């Protein structure tokens, strides 16, 4: 009996087996086809493996026609290069805490998959942290500006001048009222008399 169609065959552990095969080749030092150098030391690797994890290396290898190219990495430490290859072949690497920042920077420069994205996320988190720390400071400056504005508010001077003017006006009105009262009192104490010699004023109390 014949059958038609397709049958899908799949390895359940394909990713693990595939990555493990490359690590086995590295451990056995077989089929190396590229030499990476830094400082005064070299390390062998497989072009296809590191190209798959790094657009940087893929571009470099695509431009060379040598079957076994020699690539010198200026400014890279040998221990960082070894750790970088560990990360590429196995997906993990042990790095001293004090060397982590440098290791991540190298991974970003070489565009190593996983490390470059991790470095970008760190930069974004750092930017958010800086903005968050700056916000209260900015608010404090604004509040300080408002306080300064309140201290030099010209309306305060206008109010002071108005107060002094009102005070002066009140004093003048008080003096005017006092003079008017004095005049009324004096007028009530004297009387007017007229005779052949003319008009004269006479005190009612003392005569």
């Amino acid at each position: 009996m014949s059958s038609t169609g397709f049958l899908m065959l799949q390895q359940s552990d394909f990713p693990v087996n595939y990555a493990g095969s490359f690590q086995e080749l590295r451990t056995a030092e077989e089929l190396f086809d590229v030499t990476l150098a830094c400082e005064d030391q070299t390390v062998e690797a497989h072009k296809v493996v590191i190209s798959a994890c790094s657009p940087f290396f893929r571009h470099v290898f695509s431009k060379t026609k040598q079957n076994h190219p020699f690539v010198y990495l200026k400014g890279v430490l040998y221990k960082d290069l070894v750790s970088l290859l560990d990360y590429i072949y196995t997906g993990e690497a042990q790095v001293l805490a004090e060397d982590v920042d440098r290791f991540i920077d190298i991974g970003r420069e070489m565009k190593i998959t996983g490390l470059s994205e991790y470095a970008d996320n760190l930069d974004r988190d750092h930017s958010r942290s800086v903005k968050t720390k700056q916000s209260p400071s900015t608010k404090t400056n604004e509040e300080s500006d408002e306080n300064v504005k309140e201290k030099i508010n010209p309306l305060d001077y206008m109010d002071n001048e108005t107060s002094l003017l009102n005070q002066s006006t009140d004093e003048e009105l008080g003096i005017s009222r006092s003079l008017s009262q004095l005049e009324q009192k004096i007028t009530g104490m004297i009387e007017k008399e007229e005779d052949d010699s003319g008009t004269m004023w006479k005190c009612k109390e003392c005569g």
Side-chain angles (χ1 to χ4, degrees):
M1 182 177 178
S2 62
S3 60
T4 60
F6 298 91
L7 180 64
M8 177 65 72
L9 301 176
Q10 183 178 8
Q11 294 185 40
S12 59
D13 296 329
F14 175 76
V16 176
N17 293 334
Y18 194 69
S21 297
F22 288 125
Q23 179 59 20
E24 289 178 5
L25 290 174
R26 183 190 182 200
T27 303
E29 299 183 356
E30 296 178 352
L31 304 178
F32 286 141
D33 55 1
V34 62
T35 300
L36 304 177
C38 62
E39 298 185 302
D40 294 330
Q41 302 186 67
T42 61
V43 59
E44 302 295 322
H46 301 90
K47 289 187 291 185
V48 66
V49 176
I50 58 180
S51 294
C53 296
S54 170
F56 167 78
F57 282 113
R58 181 177 181 180
H59 177 74
V60 172
F61 297 147
S62 65
K63 296 299 182 181
T64 181
K65 296 181 180 180
Q66 297 176 356
N67 292 329
H68 193 120
F70 182 94
V71 180
Y72 181 79
L73 301 173
K74 184 178 180 180
V76 178
L77 299 181
Y78 177 75
K79 63 178 181 179
D80 290 338
L81 179 58
V82 173
S83 297
L84 197 64
L85 290 175
D86 289 341
Y87 183 84
I88 291 174
Y89 277 91
T90 66
E92 59 185 19
Q94 290 186 346
V95 181
L96 293 175
E98 59 189 23
D99 298 335
V100 169
D101 291 340
R102 185 183 66 245
F103 179 75
I104 292 175
D105 287 340
I106 295 173
R108 174 160 51 185
E109 291 179 4
M110 298 183 182
K111 300 180 181 179
I112 304 299
T113 302
L115 290 179
S116 58
E117 293 83 357
Y118 180 75
D120 292 339
N121 291 334
L122 285 180
D123 289 342
R124 282 193 291 270
D125 292 341
H126 178 70
S127 298
R128 294 193 192 101
S129 177
V130 171
K131 290 180 180 179
T132 302
K133 292 180 180 180
Q134 287 179 345
S135 296
S137 177
T138 302
K139 183 177 180 181
T140 302
N141 292 336
E142 292 176 353
E143 292 177 351
S144 299
D145 292 341
E146 291 297 328
N147 292 335
V148 173
K149 291 179 182 179
E150 291 178 0
K151 291 180 181 179
I152 61 175
N153 192 340
L155 293 178
D156 292 342
Y157 293 103
M158 293 179 63
D159 292 341
N160 291 334
E161 293 178 357
T162 302
S163 177
L164 292 175
L165 180 60
N166 291 338
Q167 182 178 355
S168 299
T169 303
D170 292 342
E171 291 177 355
E172 292 176 356
L173 290 175
I175 294 174
S176 177
R177 284 193 294 269
S178 298
L179 291 176
S180 177
Q181 292 175 358
L182 180 61
E183 183 179 357
Q184 291 178 359
K185 185 175 182 180
I186 293 175
T187 303
M189 294 175 61
I190 61 177
E191 59 181 358
K192 182 179 180 181
E193 293 183 355
E194 295 183 357
D195 53 17
D196 295 340
S197 59
T199 301
M200 61 179 298
W201 294 91
K202 182 178 178 182
C203 177
K204 294 180 180 180
E205 295 183 2
C206 57

